[in-house]
């Protein structure tokens, strides 16, 4: 028998009705997160909590996950804003001793975009990114850049393991 992972258990519990106006978009999000889980095995993914997100008109609320991804040197807390770019809000805690260059993958959340933090507990919100910060919060424009961010962090993990 196949054991469901934490994210798939969350999907089973929170799945929206197939007649819902945002059913396809919700499932696109689910499939993308599953891709992250499969493609980045050095990270353990979990759902920290479920928050109800407002959709654009016709306005409804849909369940969305606040996710946690842990590796040897990093912990990421992230969620999708889903309505407009930037699509993802990400907080990262790192254990590295050297600067972490993220090549503009993560941007500052300015005062006009504080709504991106809705659904994230204050304990997961950190100062703005800089390459010397051990923990920081920002926005990632779209799923392609979030995927790239995970690639960078997983490559750092692989290089750390080689040097041990």
């Amino acid at each position: 028998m196949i054991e469901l992972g934490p994210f798939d258990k969350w999907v089973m519990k929170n799945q929206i009705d197939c007649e819902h106006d945002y059913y396809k978009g919700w499932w696109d999000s689910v499939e993308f997160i599953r891709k992250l889980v499969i493609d980045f095995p050095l990270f353990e993914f979990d759902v920290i909590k479920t928050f109800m997100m407002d959709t654009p008109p016709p306005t409804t609320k849909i369940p969305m996950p606040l996710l946690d991804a842990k590796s040897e040197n990093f912990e990421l807390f992230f969620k999708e804003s889903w309505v407009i770019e930037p699509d993802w809000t990400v907080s990262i805690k790192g254990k590295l001793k050297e600067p972490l260059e993220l090549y503009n993958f993560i941007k500052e959340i300015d005062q006009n975009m504080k709504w991106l933090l809705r659904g994230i507990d204050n304990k997961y919100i950190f100062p703005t990114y800089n390459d010397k910060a051990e923990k920081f919060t920002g926005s990632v424009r779209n799923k392609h850049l979030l995927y790239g961010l995970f690639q960078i962090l997983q490559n750092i993990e692989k290089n750390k393991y080689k040097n041990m």
Side-chain angles (χ1 to χ4, degrees):
M1 183 156 90
I2 296 176
E3 175 76 22
L4 291 178
F7 180 67
D8 284 320
K9 287 178 183 176
W10 181 90
V11 171
M12 297 292 291
K13 183 178 177 185
N14 293 282
Q15 187 171 347
I16 63 176
D17 187 275
C18 65
E19 297 299 318
H20 194 285
D21 289 329
Y22 293 99
Y23 178 76
K24 182 182 179 333
W26 189 85
W27 267 105
D28 288 347
S29 295
V30 166
E31 292 303 319
F32 174 67
I33 294 166
R34 281 183 175 151
K35 182 168 181 53
L36 293 176
V37 171
I38 291 166
D39 289 356
F40 300 103
L42 296 182
F43 288 87
E44 285 186 36
F45 289 81
D46 201 355
V47 178
I48 297 173
K49 77 173 204 174
T50 301
F51 65 97
M52 299 306 287
M53 187 176 68
D54 294 323
T55 64
T59 303
T60 60
K61 292 191 180 291
I62 57 173
M64 294 298 288
L66 174 60
L67 297 140
D68 180 26
K70 291 180 189 174
S71 68
E72 183 75 23
N73 291 296
F74 299 103
E75 184 167 18
L76 285 75
F77 309 99
F78 63 106
K79 73 172 189 80
E80 188 173 8
S81 64
W82 205 67
V83 180
I84 58 170
E85 287 187 351
D87 290 341
W88 296 88
T89 304
V90 179
S91 291
I92 300 176
K93 291 192 316 188
K95 295 180 187 173
L96 299 177
K97 297 194 176 15
E98 64 268 0
L100 179 61
E101 176 58 57
L102 293 179
Y103 311 102
N104 290 319
F105 277 76
I106 192 163
K107 302 285 187 182
E108 180 178 354
I109 297 174
D110 69 28
Q111 292 294 36
N112 297 328
M113 300 184 77
K114 292 294 184 186
W115 58 270
L116 287 169
L117 300 171
R118 275 189 226 136
I120 301 177
D121 297 345
N122 284 337
K123 65 183 175 182
Y124 304 121
I125 299 173
F126 309 126
T128 301
Y129 166 76
N130 73 62
D131 65 357
K132 293 174 183 66
E134 291 182 16
K135 55 186 180 180
F136 49 86
T137 297
S139 64
V140 176
R141 186 172 175 183
N142 57 45
K143 68 182 180 181
H144 306 292
L145 290 175
L146 183 64
Y147 190 91
L149 178 62
F150 269 97
Q151 282 184 310
I152 289 169
L153 297 177
Q154 182 161 283
N155 284 338
I156 290 170
E157 289 290 346
K158 286 179 181 177
N159 290 332
K160 290 291 174 193
Y161 290 137
K162 278 189 221 175
N163 295 331
M164 294 181 144

